[in-house]
Amino acid sequence: MGLSGLGGAAAFIMSMAGDAAGFPCPKCKKTMMPDWNQCLFCGANPDFESGKPAILHFVTGPLANQAAVVEKAVTTIGSVPGNDIVIADPSISRKHIGIRKVEGGYEVADFGSTNGVFVNGERLPKKKLSVGDVIRVGSTEIVFRV
């Protein structure tokens, strides 16, 4: 390639940057690269900022191979009617978790359930969600998408 040392690497990086046209972040207006799904400057997700709803893909459990669109300000998941999403699983509390829209995205919160909520394998009371996160309640795994 003929590039050597730091000067060559800098020239290579500069030539790559000029090849791809970016687009402005909807929140901070700084230029994002086309392959970014989140602004590296302010953390905004263009899909969330544009109002695109989140999608919950059920991977395991009673709702496996189904999807639900998160359209309300707070979407509740539990084992009894009255929740937005009802999962018939004895290890899921009556009102187990809520997924709510927050500035720049969504967050999941445990409503004081017995068995908790796990995001990417870690038990947490509350967490801001990223695209691709795996949420587990009871025996049900859900992939968070946009």
Side-chain angles (χ1 to χ4, degrees), residues 45-77:
N45 182 314
D47 289 330
F48 294 149
E49 297 296 326
S50 68
K52 191 172 180 181
I55 300 171
L56 303 176
H57 287 266
F58 293 86
V59 180
T60 62
L63 300 179
N65 301 316
Q66 296 182 50
V69 177
V70 177
E71 295 177 305
K72 296 174 67 179
V74 177
T75 298
T76 60
I77 298 176

PDB file of all heavy atoms in Angstrom, residues 45-77:
ATOM      1  N   ASN A  45     -30.362   8.207  18.755  1.00  0.00           N
ATOM      2  CA  ASN A  45     -30.638   7.211  17.736  1.00  0.00           C
ATOM      3  C   ASN A  45     -31.579   7.871  16.733  1.00  0.00           C
ATOM      4  O   ASN A  45     -32.693   8.246  17.097  1.00  0.00           O
ATOM      5  CB  ASN A  45     -31.280   5.983  18.360  1.00  0.00           C
ATOM      6  CG  ASN A  45     -31.560   4.892  17.358  1.00  0.00           C
ATOM      7  OD1 ASN A  45     -32.086   5.134  16.284  1.00  0.00           O
ATOM      8  ND2 ASN A  45     -31.227   3.674  17.722  1.00  0.00           N
ATOM      9  N   PRO A  46     -31.162   8.027  15.468  1.00  0.00           N
ATOM     10  CA  PRO A  46     -32.009   8.711  14.487  1.00  0.00           C
ATOM     11  C   PRO A  46     -33.403   8.113  14.350  1.00  0.00           C
ATOM     12  O   PRO A  46     -34.371   8.841  14.148  1.00  0.00           O
ATOM     13  CB  PRO A  46     -31.231   8.579  13.177  1.00  0.00           C
ATOM     14  CG  PRO A  46     -29.824   8.367  13.591  1.00  0.00           C
ATOM     15  CD  PRO A  46     -29.883   7.622  14.892  1.00  0.00           C
ATOM     16  N   ASP A  47     -33.511   6.788  14.479  1.00  0.00           N
ATOM     17  CA  ASP A  47     -34.830   6.165  14.370  1.00  0.00           C
ATOM     18  C   ASP A  47     -35.743   6.600  15.513  1.00  0.00           C
ATOM     19  O   ASP A  47     -36.920   6.865  15.320  1.00  0.00           O
ATOM     20  CB  ASP A  47     -34.708   4.641  14.359  1.00  0.00           C
ATOM     21  CG  ASP A  47     -34.104   4.126  13.054  1.00  0.00           C
ATOM     22  OD1 ASP A  47     -34.305   4.769  12.013  1.00  0.00           O
ATOM     23  OD2 ASP A  47     -33.430   3.094  13.099  1.00  0.00           O
ATOM     24  N   PHE A  48     -35.202   6.682  16.737  1.00  0.00           N
ATOM     25  CA  PHE A  48     -36.004   7.128  17.877  1.00  0.00           C
ATOM     26  C   PHE A  48     -36.354   8.600  17.742  1.00  0.00           C
ATOM     27  O   PHE A  48     -37.470   9.017  18.023  1.00  0.00           O
ATOM     28  CB  PHE A  48     -35.261   6.919  19.186  1.00  0.00           C
ATOM     29  CG  PHE A  48     -35.017   5.485  19.550  1.00  0.00           C
ATOM     30  CD1 PHE A  48     -33.911   5.128  20.275  1.00  0.00           C
ATOM     31  CD2 PHE A  48     -35.901   4.485  19.178  1.00  0.00           C
ATOM     32  CE1 PHE A  48     -33.672   3.809  20.628  1.00  0.00           C
ATOM     33  CE2 PHE A  48     -35.680   3.165  19.521  1.00  0.00           C
ATOM     34  CZ  PHE A  48     -34.561   2.831  20.246  1.00  0.00           C
ATOM     35  N   GLU A  49     -35.374   9.407  17.347  1.00  0.00           N
ATOM     36  CA  GLU A  49     -35.590  10.849  17.235  1.00  0.00           C
ATOM     37  C   GLU A  49     -36.641  11.167  16.175  1.00  0.00           C
ATOM     38  O   GLU A  49     -37.339  12.162  16.272  1.00  0.00           O
ATOM     39  CB  GLU A  49     -34.279  11.573  16.919  1.00  0.00           C
ATOM     40  CG  GLU A  49     -33.219  11.458  17.995  1.00  0.00           C
ATOM     41  CD  GLU A  49     -33.607  12.104  19.306  1.00  0.00           C
ATOM     42  OE1 GLU A  49     -34.314  13.126  19.315  1.00  0.00           O
ATOM     43  OE2 GLU A  49     -33.192  11.576  20.356  1.00  0.00           O
ATOM     44  N   SER A  50     -36.741  10.325  15.152  1.00  0.00           N
ATOM     45  CA  SER A  50     -37.721  10.557  14.091  1.00  0.00           C
ATOM     46  C   SER A  50     -39.107  10.057  14.482  1.00  0.00           C
ATOM     47  O   SER A  50     -40.049  10.187  13.715  1.00  0.00           O
ATOM     48  CB  SER A  50     -37.262   9.890  12.794  1.00  0.00           C
ATOM     49  OG  SER A  50     -37.294   8.480  12.929  1.00  0.00           O
ATOM     50  N   GLY A  51     -39.218   9.453  15.664  1.00  0.00           N
ATOM     51  CA  GLY A  51     -40.518   8.993  16.145  1.00  0.00           C
ATOM     52  C   GLY A  51     -40.856   7.562  15.756  1.00  0.00           C
ATOM     53  O   GLY A  51     -41.965   7.106  15.984  1.00  0.00           O
ATOM     54  N   LYS A  52     -39.907   6.847  15.178  1.00  0.00           N
ATOM     55  CA  LYS A  52     -40.141   5.455  14.801  1.00  0.00           C
ATOM     56  C   LYS A  52     -40.346   4.621  16.063  1.00  0.00           C
ATOM     57  O   LYS A  52     -39.555   4.704  16.992  1.00  0.00           O
ATOM     58  CB  LYS A  52     -38.941   4.950  14.001  1.00  0.00           C
ATOM     59  CG  LYS A  52     -39.154   3.636  13.328  1.00  0.00           C
ATOM     60  CD  LYS A  52     -37.980   3.318  12.413  1.00  0.00           C
ATOM     61  CE  LYS A  52     -38.183   1.995  11.729  1.00  0.00           C
ATOM     62  NZ  LYS A  52     -37.056   1.655  10.868  1.00  0.00           N
ATOM     63  N   PRO A  53     -41.417   3.822  16.130  1.00  0.00           N
ATOM     64  CA  PRO A  53     -41.674   3.043  17.350  1.00  0.00           C
ATOM     65  C   PRO A  53     -40.713   1.870  17.504  1.00  0.00           C
ATOM     66  O   PRO A  53     -40.154   1.364  16.532  1.00  0.00           O
ATOM     67  CB  PRO A  53     -43.107   2.552  17.158  1.00  0.00           C
ATOM     68  CG  PRO A  53     -43.280   2.479  15.684  1.00  0.00           C
ATOM     69  CD  PRO A  53     -42.442   3.603  15.116  1.00  0.00           C
ATOM     70  N   ALA A  54     -40.547   1.435  18.730  1.00  0.00           N
ATOM     71  CA  ALA A  54     -39.733   0.261  19.019  1.00  0.00           C
ATOM     72  C   ALA A  54     -40.544  -0.997  18.745  1.00  0.00           C
ATOM     73  O   ALA A  54     -41.774  -0.977  18.753  1.00  0.00           O
ATOM     74  CB  ALA A  54     -39.278   0.291  20.472  1.00  0.00           C
ATOM     75  N   ILE A  55     -39.825  -2.091  18.510  1.00  0.00           N
ATOM     76  CA  ILE A  55     -40.459  -3.384  18.271  1.00  0.00           C
ATOM     77  C   ILE A  55     -39.842  -4.393  19.234  1.00  0.00           C
ATOM     78  O   ILE A  55     -38.624  -4.432  19.408  1.00  0.00           O
ATOM     79  CB  ILE A  55     -40.256  -3.847  16.815  1.00  0.00           C
ATOM     80  CG1 ILE A  55     -40.873  -2.835  15.857  1.00  0.00           C
ATOM     81  CG2 ILE A  55     -40.850  -5.239  16.597  1.00  0.00           C
ATOM     82  CD1 ILE A  55     -40.554  -3.071  14.404  1.00  0.00           C
ATOM     83  N   LEU A  56     -40.694  -5.180  19.868  1.00  0.00           N
ATOM     84  CA  LEU A  56     -40.248  -6.241  20.757  1.00  0.00           C
ATOM     85  C   LEU A  56     -40.421  -7.567  20.029  1.00  0.00           C
ATOM     86  O   LEU A  56     -41.543  -7.943  19.681  1.00  0.00           O
ATOM     87  CB  LEU A  56     -41.069  -6.244  22.046  1.00  0.00           C
ATOM     88  CG  LEU A  56     -41.077  -4.936  22.849  1.00  0.00           C
ATOM     89  CD1 LEU A  56     -42.017  -5.057  24.046  1.00  0.00           C
ATOM     90  CD2 LEU A  56     -39.671  -4.571  23.292  1.00  0.00           C
ATOM     91  N   HIS A  57     -39.305  -8.264  19.777  1.00  0.00           N
ATOM     92  CA  HIS A  57     -39.335  -9.578  19.124  1.00  0.00           C
ATOM     93  C   HIS A  57     -39.198 -10.645  20.205  1.00  0.00           C
ATOM     94  O   HIS A  57     -38.167 -10.704  20.875  1.00  0.00           O
ATOM     95  CB  HIS A  57     -38.205  -9.714  18.102  1.00  0.00           C
ATOM     96  CG  HIS A  57     -38.433  -8.924  16.870  1.00  0.00           C
ATOM     97  ND1 HIS A  57     -39.017  -9.454  15.746  1.00  0.00           N
ATOM     98  CD2 HIS A  57     -38.168  -7.635  16.576  1.00  0.00           C
ATOM     99  CE1 HIS A  57     -39.095  -8.525  14.819  1.00  0.00           C
ATOM    100  NE2 HIS A  57     -38.593  -7.407  15.297  1.00  0.00           N
ATOM    101  N   PHE A  58     -40.207 -11.467  20.353  1.00  0.00           N
ATOM    102  CA  PHE A  58     -40.200 -12.522  21.363  1.00  0.00           C
ATOM    103  C   PHE A  58     -39.467 -13.735  20.789  1.00  0.00           C
ATOM    104  O   PHE A  58     -39.868 -14.279  19.760  1.00  0.00           O
ATOM    105  CB  PHE A  58     -41.631 -12.870  21.782  1.00  0.00           C
ATOM    106  CG  PHE A  58     -42.298 -11.743  22.503  1.00  0.00           C
ATOM    107  CD1 PHE A  58     -42.953 -10.737  21.805  1.00  0.00           C
ATOM    108  CD2 PHE A  58     -42.230 -11.657  23.883  1.00  0.00           C
ATOM    109  CE1 PHE A  58     -43.543  -9.676  22.468  1.00  0.00           C
ATOM    110  CE2 PHE A  58     -42.832 -10.595  24.556  1.00  0.00           C
ATOM    111  CZ  PHE A  58     -43.478  -9.596  23.845  1.00  0.00           C
ATOM    112  N   VAL A  59     -38.394 -14.126  21.463  1.00  0.00           N
ATOM    113  CA  VAL A  59     -37.541 -15.205  20.977  1.00  0.00           C
ATOM    114  C   VAL A  59     -37.893 -16.528  21.645  1.00  0.00           C
ATOM    115  O   VAL A  59     -37.946 -17.564  20.997  1.00  0.00           O
ATOM    116  CB  VAL A  59     -36.049 -14.860  21.215  1.00  0.00           C
ATOM    117  CG1 VAL A  59     -35.146 -15.960  20.717  1.00  0.00           C
ATOM    118  CG2 VAL A  59     -35.706 -13.539  20.551  1.00  0.00           C
ATOM    119  N   THR A  60     -38.126 -16.497  22.958  1.00  0.00           N
ATOM    120  CA  THR A  60     -38.497 -17.713  23.690  1.00  0.00           C
ATOM    121  C   THR A  60     -39.738 -17.427  24.528  1.00  0.00           C
ATOM    122  O   THR A  60     -40.141 -16.282  24.687  1.00  0.00           O
ATOM    123  CB  THR A  60     -37.358 -18.172  24.632  1.00  0.00           C
ATOM    124  OG1 THR A  60     -37.118 -17.148  25.604  1.00  0.00           O
ATOM    125  CG2 THR A  60     -36.075 -18.470  23.876  1.00  0.00           C
ATOM    126  N   GLY A  61     -40.326 -18.489  25.073  1.00  0.00           N
ATOM    127  CA  GLY A  61     -41.502 -18.335  25.931  1.00  0.00           C
ATOM    128  C   GLY A  61     -42.793 -18.496  25.169  1.00  0.00           C
ATOM    129  O   GLY A  61     -42.798 -18.814  23.972  1.00  0.00           O
ATOM    130  N   PRO A  62     -43.920 -18.254  25.834  1.00  0.00           N
ATOM    131  CA  PRO A  62     -45.236 -18.458  25.225  1.00  0.00           C
ATOM    132  C   PRO A  62     -45.496 -17.609  23.972  1.00  0.00           C
ATOM    133  O   PRO A  62     -46.309 -17.991  23.139  1.00  0.00           O
ATOM    134  CB  PRO A  62     -46.216 -18.073  26.335  1.00  0.00           C
ATOM    135  CG  PRO A  62     -45.439 -18.207  27.597  1.00  0.00           C
ATOM    136  CD  PRO A  62     -44.023 -17.895  27.240  1.00  0.00           C
ATOM    137  N   LEU A  63     -44.832 -16.472  23.830  1.00  0.00           N
ATOM    138  CA  LEU A  63     -45.047 -15.604  22.666  1.00  0.00           C
ATOM    139  C   LEU A  63     -43.926 -15.725  21.625  1.00  0.00           C
ATOM    140  O   LEU A  63     -43.793 -14.857  20.769  1.00  0.00           O
ATOM    141  CB  LEU A  63     -45.185 -14.145  23.114  1.00  0.00           C
ATOM    142  CG  LEU A  63     -46.332 -13.833  24.071  1.00  0.00           C
ATOM    143  CD1 LEU A  63     -46.336 -12.359  24.443  1.00  0.00           C
ATOM    144  CD2 LEU A  63     -47.667 -14.232  23.462  1.00  0.00           C
ATOM    145  N   ALA A  64     -43.147 -16.807  21.690  1.00  0.00           N
ATOM    146  CA  ALA A  64     -42.012 -16.976  20.767  1.00  0.00           C
ATOM    147  C   ALA A  64     -42.450 -16.808  19.311  1.00  0.00           C
ATOM    148  O   ALA A  64     -43.560 -17.206  18.936  1.00  0.00           O
ATOM    149  CB  ALA A  64     -41.378 -18.346  20.967  1.00  0.00           C
ATOM    150  N   ASN A  65     -41.588 -16.181  18.532  1.00  0.00           N
ATOM    151  CA  ASN A  65     -41.801 -15.933  17.097  1.00  0.00           C
ATOM    152  C   ASN A  65     -42.907 -14.921  16.820  1.00  0.00           C
ATOM    153  O   ASN A  65     -43.470 -14.902  15.726  1.00  0.00           O
ATOM    154  CB  ASN A  65     -42.066 -17.236  16.336  1.00  0.00           C
ATOM    155  CG  ASN A  65     -40.923 -18.206  16.481  1.00  0.00           C
ATOM    156  OD1 ASN A  65     -39.758 -17.816  16.384  1.00  0.00           O
ATOM    157  ND2 ASN A  65     -41.243 -19.456  16.756  1.00  0.00           N
ATOM    158  N   GLN A  66     -43.208 -14.080  17.805  1.00  0.00           N
ATOM    159  CA  GLN A  66     -44.176 -13.001  17.612  1.00  0.00           C
ATOM    160  C   GLN A  66     -43.486 -11.677  17.902  1.00  0.00           C
ATOM    161  O   GLN A  66     -42.407 -11.640  18.492  1.00  0.00           O
ATOM    162  CB  GLN A  66     -45.375 -13.180  18.548  1.00  0.00           C
ATOM    163  CG  GLN A  66     -46.172 -14.449  18.267  1.00  0.00           C
ATOM    164  CD  GLN A  66     -47.375 -14.558  19.168  1.00  0.00           C
ATOM    165  OE1 GLN A  66     -48.166 -13.616  19.294  1.00  0.00           O
ATOM    166  NE2 GLN A  66     -47.534 -15.710  19.809  1.00  0.00           N
ATOM    167  N   ALA A  67     -44.091 -10.588  17.487  1.00  0.00           N
ATOM    168  CA  ALA A  67     -43.534  -9.257  17.716  1.00  0.00           C
ATOM    169  C   ALA A  67     -44.641  -8.319  18.160  1.00  0.00           C
ATOM    170  O   ALA A  67     -45.815  -8.520  17.833  1.00  0.00           O
ATOM    171  CB  ALA A  67     -42.876  -8.725  16.447  1.00  0.00           C
ATOM    172  N   ALA A  68     -44.257  -7.311  18.929  1.00  0.00           N
ATOM    173  CA  ALA A  68     -45.202  -6.295  19.390  1.00  0.00           C
ATOM    174  C   ALA A  68     -44.576  -4.924  19.177  1.00  0.00           C
ATOM    175  O   ALA A  68     -43.380  -4.738  19.414  1.00  0.00           O
ATOM    176  CB  ALA A  68     -45.531  -6.502  20.864  1.00  0.00           C
ATOM    177  N   VAL A  69     -45.373  -3.978  18.742  1.00  0.00           N
ATOM    178  CA  VAL A  69     -44.912  -2.607  18.534  1.00  0.00           C
ATOM    179  C   VAL A  69     -45.179  -1.817  19.807  1.00  0.00           C
ATOM    180  O   VAL A  69     -46.264  -1.900  20.387  1.00  0.00           O
ATOM    181  CB  VAL A  69     -45.638  -1.959  17.332  1.00  0.00           C
ATOM    182  CG1 VAL A  69     -45.214  -0.515  17.157  1.00  0.00           C
ATOM    183  CG2 VAL A  69     -45.379  -2.759  16.064  1.00  0.00           C
ATOM    184  N   VAL A  70     -44.169  -1.061  20.249  1.00  0.00           N
ATOM    185  CA  VAL A  70     -44.291  -0.229  21.450  1.00  0.00           C
ATOM    186  C   VAL A  70     -44.724   1.159  20.988  1.00  0.00           C
ATOM    187  O   VAL A  70     -43.922   1.923  20.480  1.00  0.00           O
ATOM    188  CB  VAL A  70     -42.952  -0.162  22.221  1.00  0.00           C
ATOM    189  CG1 VAL A  70     -43.072   0.751  23.423  1.00  0.00           C
ATOM    190  CG2 VAL A  70     -42.497  -1.548  22.627  1.00  0.00           C
ATOM    191  N   GLU A  71     -46.019   1.457  21.164  1.00  0.00           N
ATOM    192  CA  GLU A  71     -46.563   2.731  20.685  1.00  0.00           C
ATOM    193  C   GLU A  71     -46.997   3.662  21.809  1.00  0.00           C
ATOM    194  O   GLU A  71     -47.084   4.864  21.607  1.00  0.00           O
ATOM    195  CB  GLU A  71     -47.754   2.468  19.756  1.00  0.00           C
ATOM    196  CG  GLU A  71     -47.353   1.737  18.489  1.00  0.00           C
ATOM    197  CD  GLU A  71     -48.537   1.408  17.609  1.00  0.00           C
ATOM    198  OE1 GLU A  71     -49.489   0.760  18.084  1.00  0.00           O
ATOM    199  OE2 GLU A  71     -48.494   1.809  16.435  1.00  0.00           O
ATOM    200  N   LYS A  72     -47.287   3.120  22.981  1.00  0.00           N
ATOM    201  CA  LYS A  72     -47.762   3.929  24.096  1.00  0.00           C
ATOM    202  C   LYS A  72     -46.588   4.564  24.843  1.00  0.00           C
ATOM    203  O   LYS A  72     -45.446   4.124  24.703  1.00  0.00           O
ATOM    204  CB  LYS A  72     -48.566   3.050  25.052  1.00  0.00           C
ATOM    205  CG  LYS A  72     -49.838   2.490  24.439  1.00  0.00           C
ATOM    206  CD  LYS A  72     -50.526   1.512  25.350  1.00  0.00           C
ATOM    207  CE  LYS A  72     -51.054   2.192  26.589  1.00  0.00           C
ATOM    208  NZ  LYS A  72     -51.753   1.280  27.494  1.00  0.00           N
ATOM    209  N   ALA A  73     -46.882   5.554  25.666  1.00  0.00           N
ATOM    210  CA  ALA A  73     -45.838   6.186  26.484  1.00  0.00           C
ATOM    211  C   ALA A  73     -45.213   5.163  27.419  1.00  0.00           C
ATOM    212  O   ALA A  73     -44.000   5.155  27.637  1.00  0.00           O
ATOM    213  CB  ALA A  73     -46.420   7.347  27.280  1.00  0.00           C
ATOM    214  N   VAL A  74     -46.035   4.274  27.984  1.00  0.00           N
ATOM    215  CA  VAL A  74     -45.552   3.165  28.817  1.00  0.00           C
ATOM    216  C   VAL A  74     -46.291   1.907  28.374  1.00  0.00           C
ATOM    217  O   VAL A  74     -47.517   1.886  28.321  1.00  0.00           O
ATOM    218  CB  VAL A  74     -45.802   3.401  30.323  1.00  0.00           C
ATOM    219  CG1 VAL A  74     -45.356   2.187  31.131  1.00  0.00           C
ATOM    220  CG2 VAL A  74     -45.107   4.651  30.810  1.00  0.00           C
ATOM    221  N   THR A  75     -45.535   0.874  28.055  1.00  0.00           N
ATOM    222  CA  THR A  75     -46.098  -0.419  27.687  1.00  0.00           C
ATOM    223  C   THR A  75     -45.804  -1.378  28.829  1.00  0.00           C
ATOM    224  O   THR A  75     -44.643  -1.562  29.199  1.00  0.00           O
ATOM    225  CB  THR A  75     -45.475  -0.942  26.378  1.00  0.00           C
ATOM    226  OG1 THR A  75     -45.781  -0.022  25.324  1.00  0.00           O
ATOM    227  CG2 THR A  75     -46.005  -2.327  26.021  1.00  0.00           C
ATOM    228  N   THR A  76     -46.862  -1.965  29.394  1.00  0.00           N
ATOM    229  CA  THR A  76     -46.679  -2.871  30.530  1.00  0.00           C
ATOM    230  C   THR A  76     -46.707  -4.321  30.060  1.00  0.00           C
ATOM    231  O   THR A  76     -47.431  -4.683  29.128  1.00  0.00           O
ATOM    232  CB  THR A  76     -47.756  -2.659  31.607  1.00  0.00           C
ATOM    233  OG1 THR A  76     -49.042  -2.909  31.033  1.00  0.00           O
ATOM    234  CG2 THR A  76     -47.696  -1.255  32.166  1.00  0.00           C
ATOM    235  N   ILE A  77     -45.891  -5.132  30.738  1.00  0.00           N
ATOM    236  CA  ILE A  77     -45.833  -6.564  30.459  1.00  0.00           C
ATOM    237  C   ILE A  77     -46.028  -7.295  31.779  1.00  0.00           C
ATOM    238  O   ILE A  77     -45.364  -6.987  32.772  1.00  0.00           O
ATOM    239  CB  ILE A  77     -44.484  -6.962  29.829  1.00  0.00           C
ATOM    240  CG1 ILE A  77     -44.297  -6.239  28.478  1.00  0.00           C
ATOM    241  CG2 ILE A  77     -44.390  -8.478  29.651  1.00  0.00           C
ATOM    242  CD1 ILE A  77     -42.948  -6.488  27.828  1.00  0.00           C
TER     243      ILE A  77
END
